[in-house]
Amino acid sequence: MRRTLLIFNWLHLVSLAFWVGGMFLLGILVEIMVRINLKEQPLVASKIMNKIMDVFNVNIIYTCIAIILIAEVLKFLAGKWKSGGYEKQVVTKKKYTREVFLAVMIVLAIYIGGVLRPEMHEIDKLKKASPENKKLQIQFDRYHQKLTWLYTVNMILGLSCFYIHGKEMMRFRDE
């Protein structure tokens, strides 16, 4: 049972790494590279970024969320039934800090993938249809700023989860 918990713990960490690392990679490197290299072709840049972000926000992040949720449920059940001597390590002042951070990250990711991105696509289509309309550009820029802000919050929470998990692993090692 202990080996199974370690495997799920590892899957949890790998999924969180893909999620947080992907946000850094896409939000910083890919967007900058696409915008700079395709500056003369803004429609192509927009199309490329939309496709990349759709795949990441829906396929990759939702898969990571599913794996993390499965791992958390199994760890919770193991702790509840005291399977294999497993006891949850508490390294923060509040007992469920990491779980709350994960819950906020999941809610934000679902909002980004299910609500914000489709709205941005609609505004982007309207903006491309009538490029002279400055109100659409302003509205798109506001959505993009909101997306950037939510990604930043998720990155900070994800890094906090890594820190908490690292503290848990150090305490686990010491015991």
Side-chain angles (χ1 to χ4, degrees):
M1 182 65 172
R2 192 171 180 97
R3 182 175 289 166
T4 305
L5 288 170
L6 288 174
I7 290 170
F8 279 110
N9 210 18
W10 181 82
L11 285 173
H12 174 127
L13 281 175
V14 169
S15 296
L16 189 60
F18 272 112
W19 186 359
V20 175
M23 286 189 294
F24 275 111
L25 181 70
L26 293 176
I28 296 171
L29 295 177
V30 173
E31 177 141 8
I32 291 170
M33 294 297 290
V34 168
R35 301 289 179 204
I36 289 173
N37 291 327
L38 296 173
K39 190 181 340 180
E40 298 81 28
Q41 302 171 330
L43 295 177
V44 174
S46 175
K47 188 175 183 180
I48 290 171
M49 280 309 299
N50 284 339
K51 287 187 182 215
I52 290 171
M53 294 301 283
D54 285 345
V55 168
F56 180 72
N57 281 322
V58 176
N59 298 348
I60 294 173
I61 288 180
Y62 289 175
T63 302
C64 291
I65 288 172
I67 292 170
I68 288 170
L69 287 175
I70 290 168
E72 284 297 314
V73 166
L74 288 174
K75 286 192 287 186
F76 174 78
L77 292 175
K80 185 174 179 132
W81 293 327
K82 305 284 188 217
S83 297
Y86 177 77
E87 282 188 41
K88 179 160 174 24
Q89 301 296 318
V90 179
V91 294
T92 56
K93 290 183 182 188
K94 301 290 182 185
K95 188 173 183 179
Y96 294 106
T97 303
R98 184 172 53 90
E99 288 81 1
V100 169
F101 286 178
L102 281 172
V104 171
M105 287 178 68
I106 290 168
V107 168
L108 290 177
I110 291 170
Y111 174 73
I112 289 169
V115 177
L116 191 58
R117 291 294 302 162
E119 288 177 2
M120 286 181 73
H121 283 306
E122 287 301 315
I123 297 297
D124 196 33
K125 285 179 190 174
L126 294 172
K127 183 179 72 161
K128 288 175 185 171
S130 59
E132 69 282 346
N133 191 342
K134 297 298 179 195
K135 286 184 180 181
L136 291 174
Q137 181 64 42
I138 291 169
Q139 189 174 11
F140 182 81
D141 289 343
R142 284 185 184 148
Y143 279 136
H144 189 269
Q145 186 178 21
K146 188 176 189 180
L147 177 76
T148 304
W149 171 248
L150 293 175
Y151 257 53
T152 303
V153 170
N154 258 1
M155 283 189 250
I156 291 168
L157 290 174
L159 291 173
S160 300
C161 286
F162 277 123
Y163 176 74
I164 292 168
H165 195 79
K167 285 178 68 175
E168 289 172 354
M169 293 302 287
M170 289 303 292
R171 181 162 296 169
F172 179 73
R173 190 188 84 185
D174 291 341
E175 292 176 2

